Amino acid sequence: ELKVEQNPLFLSMQEGKNYTIYCNYSTTSDRLYWYRQDPGKSLESLFVLLSNGAVKQEGRLMASLDTKARLSTLHITAAVHDLSATYFCAVDMIVGANNLFFGTGTRLTVIP
Amino acid sequence: DTGVSQNPRHKITKRGQNVTFRCDPISEHNRLYWYRQTLGQGPEFLTYFQNEAQLEKSRLLSDRFSAERPKGSFSTLEIQRTEQGDSAMYLCASSPRDRPTYNEQFFGPGTRLTVL
């Protein structure tokens, strides 16, 4: 059965600091998505990574994908309070329904 | 607003009652998904429609659950004889037909179900 594991599950960091969230998955897939979820809200698409070595950046967030290691990272640079949210990675099953398998999420709190 | 919409946003019901949720996907998106999210967890896949055809169902979708997408546009998810374990956020997502190589899904705001 496919497993998608994120770590850390909880992350508390000070404004201005850098940190990385890791997403490991157990199947061969070259399609990986990152979503953001604010409390009580739905999921907002952040990044779509479609090949080995893919790197995408938006503002203070940068995502990368290593399909050989089955690992994706979400790097936060100089964190600000507005980045506080839960971040999910999700793997595309490619076949069948193409449904997404989500990790358990990383709850990020940025402290002023 | 042309995003995915869901109604109601909140539903409180008593155990044993039936509930129905509605999802309106982004216009012209032919793929529609239902997910369930419990507190502290990521969304879990329930079922998938391509146009009006329900093509896949998760084992999480017990026989008390039924979903329809009668005209290939909006979809409904019905839960019969609700149980307290059904309490969760029910999320709908859609994705467009013109991206065969990947499947970025756009999520609605969700319906939060509380079963007393």
Side-chain angles (χ1 to χ4, degrees):
Chain A
E1 182 177 306
L2 172 60
K3 292 184 179 179
V4 182
E5 297 180 336
Q6 289 182 235
N7 69 84
L9 298 183
F10 299 93
L11 175 58
S12 180
M13 56 190 299
Q14 288 186 317
E15 280 190 332
K17 298 294 186 182
N18 304 334
Y19 208 83
T20 300
I21 298 171
Y22 297 89
C23 172
N24 290 90
Y25 55 97
S26 63
T27 190
T28 54
S29 175
D30 57 0
R31 304 198 296 204
L32 193 291
Y33 308 80
W34 284 95
Y35 285 86
R36 167 183 172 146
Q37 187 176 39
D38 291 294
K41 301 293 181 62
S42 190
L43 287 88
E44 173 191 355
S45 178
L46 293 176
F47 298 108
V48 178
L49 303 169
L50 299 177
S51 62
N52 185 40
V55 177
K56 295 279 186 72
Q57 182 164 5
E58 181 71 34
R60 301 173 186 275
L61 300 177
M62 183 174 70
S64 66
L65 178 61
D66 181 344
T67 58
K68 294 181 180 179
R70 301 181 185 177
L71 171 69
S72 181
T73 61
L74 181 66
H75 186 73
I76 304 155
T77 301
V80 293
H81 180 67
D82 286 352
L83 291 179
S84 296
T86 299
Y87 293 86
F88 291 96
C89 64
V91 176
D92 189 336
M93 285 302 293
I94 301 178
V95 297
N98 296 137
N99 56 284
L100 301 181
F101 275 86
F102 284 83
T104 49
T106 296
R107 186 169 179 176
L108 170 65
T109 303
V110 180
I111 304 168
Chain B
D1 188 345
T2 57
V4 179
S5 62
Q6 292 186 246
N7 288 288
R9 296 290 307 277
H10 303 273
K11 179 69 177 179
I12 300 174
T13 191
K14 293 182 179 179
R15 188 178 55 188
Q17 298 294 305
N18 299 343
V19 294
T20 301
F21 311 142
R22 175 176 170 132
C23 169
D24 288 87
I26 294 172
S27 179
E28 297 182 356
H29 278 194
N30 69 329
R31 302 178 191 175
L32 187 147
Y33 298 79
W34 285 97
Y35 290 83
R36 182 179 72 182
Q37 185 179 25
T38 53
L39 196 62
Q41 300 296 317
E44 296 174 290
F45 169 70
L46 292 178
T47 191
Y48 161 63
F49 288 86
Q50 184 166 308
N51 300 312
E52 66 276 10
Q54 187 176 19
L55 296 184
E56 190 152 332
K57 293 189 285 188
S58 160
R59 65 176 187 275
L60 293 176
L61 209 70
S62 76
D63 56 7
R64 296 185 296 106
F65 287 69
S66 62
E68 294 182 342
R69 194 181 183 196
K71 296 182 180 179
S73 56
F74 73 92
S75 176
T76 58
L77 177 67
E78 180 183 16
I79 309 174
Q80 295 182 327
R81 305 181 303 281
T82 52
E83 301 173 356
Q84 288 184 326
D86 296 332
S87 296
M89 175 79 87
Y90 290 84
L91 294 165
C92 175
S94 68
S95 64
R97 71 175 73 216
D98 61 347
R99 296 178 182 174
T101 59
Y102 69 100
N103 191 24
E104 183 183 17
Q105 296 178 20
F106 298 87
F107 284 79
T111 295
R112 182 167 294 283
L113 173 65
T114 302
V115 181
L116 302 177

